[in-house]
Amino acid sequence: DAGVIQSPRHEVTEMGQEVTLRCKPISGHDYLFWYRQTMMRGLELLIYFNNNVPIDDSGMPEDRFSAKMPNASFSTLKIQPSEPRDSAVYFCASSFRGGYTFGSGTRLTVV
Amino acid sequence: DQQVKQNSPSLSVQEGRISILNCDYTNSMFDYFLWYKKYPAEGPTFLISISSIKDKNEDGRFTVFLNKSAKHLSLHIVPSQPGDSAVYFCAALWGAQKLVFGQGTRLTINP
């Protein structure tokens, strides 16, 4: 298994632009999580899905953030419009019976 | 409302000595605690965990201690090795699937 696959690895965009981060979870995992890593708050949970259904999006910072999981093998996190304070590393993780596996992350820089 | 806190952003330890990383939490509903290790440009990987019904769990050089009355846990690494240099995240499991992370502690092992 290739693990959790995130793309792109790095993204540099201008303020105001739309950004889409992608995640392919491990096959058979029934939970998918989006986290954001910042120096101040560490790893923050943004949203998670169970069997493709969003369960808790209370961590999504603003309406500019949205996430979808159209099927069991794909999820997106979209920021529109992006702002410099969104710059961070975004991680996707999937799990089955409590065993989490993280992707390598997407480093987002908004200038 | 940081429910899991790691108050030391960094720690430097000499090779061969003991490394002690600390973590505090506020939510008494957490029923499982985990430590993750993160290298640069990689996602966090699971290191060791402890159930809330135990006070100690040991795995080779790594031991996690839980003090429920103080809402405190710690990770001991002995002896510390250069390959242990990484960022360590404390995490707590809530509702069987939702992982809440601390801010992380950067551990540096000096030769």
Side-chain angles (χ1 to χ4, degrees):
Chain A
D1 197 325
V4 176
I5 300 173
Q6 290 187 246
S7 64
R9 288 298 306 271
H10 302 274
E11 177 79 38
V12 181
T13 190
E14 291 185 349
M15 181 174 64
Q17 296 297 307
E18 177 180 296
V19 176
T20 300
L21 311 181
R22 297 172 176 79
C23 175
K24 177 178 167 53
I26 290 176
S27 177
H29 281 194
D30 54 352
Y31 282 84
L32 184 140
F33 306 81
W34 282 100
Y35 284 87
R36 177 172 68 176
Q37 182 187 6
T38 61
M39 288 295 292
M40 289 298 295
R41 299 183 66 84
L43 282 163
E44 295 177 271
L45 177 62
L46 301 177
I47 185 172
Y48 75 97
F49 297 82
N50 177 219
N51 292 323
N52 315 338
V53 177
I55 301 301
D56 182 352
D57 66 353
S58 59
M60 297 285 261
E62 298 171 33
D63 291 345
R64 299 183 295 106
F65 286 70
S66 62
K68 294 182 180 179
M69 191 165 185
N71 57 62
S73 59
F74 185 64
S75 177
T76 59
L77 177 67
K78 185 177 293 186
I79 308 173
Q80 165 65 16
S82 57
E83 296 182 3
R85 59 195 168 117
D86 301 331
S87 298
V89 181
Y90 291 80
F91 288 99
C92 174
S94 67
S95 78
F96 178 70
R97 293 183 180 174
Y100 269 60
T101 301
F102 282 82
S104 298
T106 295
R107 180 174 293 278
L108 173 65
T109 304
V110 183
V111 297
Chain B
D1 61 337
Q2 193 82 15
Q3 297 188 66
V4 178
K5 298 181 182 180
Q6 293 175 257
N7 293 317
S8 298
S10 63
L11 176 67
S12 187
V13 175
Q14 193 169 4
E15 182 179 358
R17 306 294 289 265
I18 184 171
S19 296
I20 300 176
L21 296 96
N22 293 303
C23 178
D24 298 295
Y25 62 96
T26 57
N27 191 338
S28 58
M29 298 299 289
F30 290 140
D31 50 12
Y32 220 82
F33 301 91
L34 306 91
W35 285 93
Y36 280 77
K37 180 178 181 179
K38 184 185 177 307
Y39 291 118
E42 295 182 10
T45 55
F46 171 74
L47 185 59
I48 191 169
S49 64
I50 187 168
S51 165
S52 60
I53 63 173
K54 295 187 175 182
D55 55 16
K56 177 182 176 181
N57 187 29
E58 190 172 353
D59 183 4
R61 297 185 297 113
F62 302 91
T63 303
V64 56
F65 296 92
L66 175 63
N67 182 335
K68 285 189 68 177
S69 61
K71 292 191 175 67
H72 177 84
L73 65 154
S74 60
L75 174 68
H76 292 211
I77 307 173
V78 55
S80 301
Q81 298 174 355
D84 297 329
S85 295
V87 177
Y88 289 79
F89 288 97
C90 171
L93 197 58
W94 187 15
Q97 283 292 344
K98 183 175 174 178
L99 264 184
V100 180
F101 285 86
Q103 302 95 316
T105 297
R106 181 177 301 279
L107 175 65
T108 303
I109 305 302
N110 302 309

